[in-house]
Amino acid sequence: MQLTEGLRYCLPNGERVTARVIDGKFILEYKRSYRAPLSIGQSGELLLRGQSTGFTVDSLVLDESEEQRAG
């Protein structure tokens, strides 16, 4: 999946994250600032504080509200 800066995505567990580019790399931020953002490993796995979450970039789904805005 190709991520786009500023768009919201849903994780397989139903949580929503927003794609951001920082220092040339994508991170996925939660709405709540106290949650640590997810980074993306070289193989596309989503990492939380360096540990695998079991999710990959390919498991992300564009948030329904984003699909409506685009459509």
Side-chain angles (χ1 to χ4, degrees):
M1 166 175 272
Q2 182 74 22
L3 296 177
T4 303
E5 164 94 24
L7 292 185
R8 287 187 294 178
Y9 297 89
C10 291
L11 297 169
N13 63 3
E15 293 183 292
R16 291 185 172 102
V17 291
T18 302
R20 301 275 184 228
V21 176
I22 296 181
D23 294 331
K25 296 181 182 179
F26 273 100
I27 64 165
L28 300 171
E29 293 181 323
Y30 290 95
K31 185 174 184 176
R32 305 213 185 317
S33 61
Y34 63 83
R35 299 280 313 261
L38 298 172
S39 59
I40 301 171
Q42 291 181 357
S43 62
E45 64 185 333
L46 303 182
L47 307 171
L48 178 62
R49 296 187 178 110
Q51 301 296 313
S52 177
T53 61
F55 303 137
T56 65
V57 171
D58 292 331
S59 63
L60 294 171
V61 177
L62 189 60
D63 186 27
E64 290 177 8
S65 63
E66 297 293 346
E67 288 177 352
Q68 291 173 358
R69 281 191 341 179

